[in-house]
Amino acid sequence: MSGSEPKQHGVAKRATIEDVARLAGVSRALVSLVLRGSPKVSEQKRDAVASAIATLDYRPNNAARSLASGRTRTVGVLLDDLANPWFVELLDGLQSIFREQNLRMVLGDPRYLARPGESPVSAFMELRVDGLVIAGDFNADEDLTRATLHTPAVVVGTRAFDLPAADRVTNDDAAGARMGVEHLIGLSHNDIAFLTAPTGAARLRADAYRETMTRHGLQDYIRVVPTDMSEHSGFSAMSRLIESGRTPTAVFAANDILAVGALSAADDHGISVPSQLSLVGYDNTYLAGIRHVSLTTVDPVSREVGIRAAEFLLARIADHSLPPRTEVLTPRLVVRNSTAQATST
């Protein structure tokens, strides 16, 4: 057995920083400089340390480093529904900034993260994360509020609850909903229904739908159909509209998942989209861009929201005394093949 392969009773022993230093022929302090990315190390010695790390499969002891620096270099991201494709672009935006700072994201969904009777934020507090990203609708309970008083935090994608010490970055849900409804009205649709959901963002979008319809004198056509935000409930809601005896000429859904369910229901009932029914979603997820879906949808610029949220959080980690900030980004409408001019009756 060579000295470069520390083993014990046939089971590999975890390599230490001293093992790396010994194999590379340098001091422990120099290995630490390399791990911190210091520019003070020559390229030759940096390569020697890198080679030793690869040979030994060395993993830094993050717990020890955290105790020494007071930082874990991790950010907890609390998501209200990991199955929602809206989070894909958001996470990409967050990661594009955190990666530059050598920060690692740890994702958590409260359905899987918390033990019974425990706040979903508790696991992140045990990990001593450097910051929190809270994405989606949550019950701002006492534990979550307390956590954000001591840990830098940013809320993204919702204005449904208030955390006084946290920053907030979101898209303008009301403006986005107006875009969707105005697009349909511009195509001469009057009978426009809205599929809503039990979230703060959906409530803002529903309110804007009602306001826009009323402003155009279409208040008699207002129909807000509740769902649980799943594709199945979108299918059921659209089926109920069709079977009511007054099928709308257009439907605006609170998210793309509901719109996909509505599209399936229309097909099931022999209704052609967009010649007989126009559909608009919200979120511009990958679902909307699938060729056979080709859904017109409101893009809440989720990647940009993620980028700004990460920048806000990094600034707060650097200076906890910053006053809470809110930034609302303007969404945009993406027109695809699910909307068309209303046919005259």
Side-chain angles (χ1 to χ4, degrees):
M1 181 186 299
S2 73
S4 64
E5 297 174 350
K7 299 211 172 187
Q8 183 176 343
H9 304 301
V11 177
K13 178 184 175 184
R14 178 175 290 182
T16 67
I17 194 170
E18 287 81 8
D19 295 326
V20 174
R22 189 180 305 114
L23 183 60
V26 299
S27 68
R28 183 185 187 282
L30 190 136
V31 175
S32 294
L33 288 174
V34 172
L35 292 174
R36 292 199 298 269
S38 172
K40 298 178 181 179
V41 182
S42 70
E43 185 176 350
Q44 180 182 5
K45 290 185 176 179
R46 189 183 304 279
D47 289 345
V49 170
S51 176
I53 287 173
T55 299
L56 297 172
D57 192 24
Y58 171 69
R59 298 287 188 273
N61 187 332
N62 287 326
R65 291 170 69 183
S66 298
L67 288 172
S69 67
R71 294 278 303 276
T72 62
R73 304 209 66 79
T74 59
V75 172
V77 182
L78 192 59
L79 307 169
D80 67 353
D81 182 6
L82 279 170
N84 191 332
W86 170 76
F87 290 120
V88 174
E89 289 292 311
L90 172 73
L91 291 172
D92 186 61
L94 290 169
Q95 179 68 352
S96 70
I97 301 299
F98 291 148
R99 185 189 296 115
E100 294 176 356
Q101 301 299 317
N102 196 29
L103 293 174
R104 178 180 297 168
M105 290 194 301
V106 180
L107 309 183
D109 182 320
R111 293 174 298 175
Y112 313 115
L113 189 65
R115 293 182 285 264
E118 180 184 68
S119 172
V121 78
S122 298
F124 287 141
M125 294 301 94
E126 291 173 10
L127 290 172
R128 303 179 67 85
V129 294
D130 293 337
L132 279 170
V133 178
I134 302 157
D137 279 17
F138 286 93
N139 176 23
D141 60 21
E142 185 177 336
D143 288 332
L144 185 58
T145 302
R146 187 186 306 113
T148 60
L149 291 174
H150 303 290
T151 303
V154 58
V155 176
V156 297
T158 182
R159 284 175 283 170
F161 59 90
D162 188 36
L163 292 170
D167 296 314
R168 187 182 306 273
V169 182
T170 185
N171 90 106
D172 190 336
D173 290 288
R178 285 193 293 271
M179 289 177 190
V181 180
E182 294 278 5
H183 171 66
L184 292 169
I185 293 173
L187 293 172
S188 301
H189 291 280
N190 294 328
D191 196 347
I192 304 166
F194 183 75
L195 306 188
T196 192
T199 67
R203 284 191 291 273
L204 289 171
R205 295 166 193 175
D207 289 345
Y209 155 78
R210 293 187 185 94
E211 181 272 325
T212 306
M213 292 286 284
T214 301
R215 180 161 41 84
H216 284 271
L218 302 175
Q219 57 271 19
D220 291 342
Y221 293 100
I222 291 175
R223 281 188 282 177
V224 177
V225 186
T227 75
D228 67 9
M229 207 164 64
S230 66
E231 181 182 353
H232 175 73
S233 66
F235 181 97
S236 297
M238 187 70 242
S239 296
R240 292 197 301 275
L241 284 170
I242 294 169
E243 293 161 6
S244 70
R246 193 188 109 204
T247 302
T249 65
V251 168
F252 182 26
N255 66 21
D256 289 350
I257 296 173
L258 291 172
V260 169
L263 181 65
S264 297
D267 182 67
D268 206 49
H269 286 79
I271 295 174
S272 175
V273 174
S275 61
Q276 294 174 286
L277 174 73
S278 283
L279 279 175
V280 175
Y282 205 113
D283 287 342
N284 195 29
T285 62
Y286 72 89
L287 295 172
I290 294 173
R291 181 182 174 190
H292 296 296
V293 176
S294 192
L295 180 68
T296 295
T297 184
V298 179
D299 182 355
V301 293
S302 299
R303 189 174 191 278
E304 288 83 351
V305 167
I307 289 171
R308 292 297 293 140
E311 291 170 345
F312 271 29
L313 189 61
L314 290 176
R316 184 160 296 283
I317 290 172
D319 183 359
H320 292 210
S321 68
L322 287 172
R325 297 157 295 169
T326 294
E327 185 164 334
V328 181
L329 303 185
T330 302
R332 62 190 182 94
L333 183 71
V334 180
V335 178
R336 295 192 178 94
N337 295 334
S338 66
T339 52
Q341 193 77 23
T343 55
S344 58
T345 57

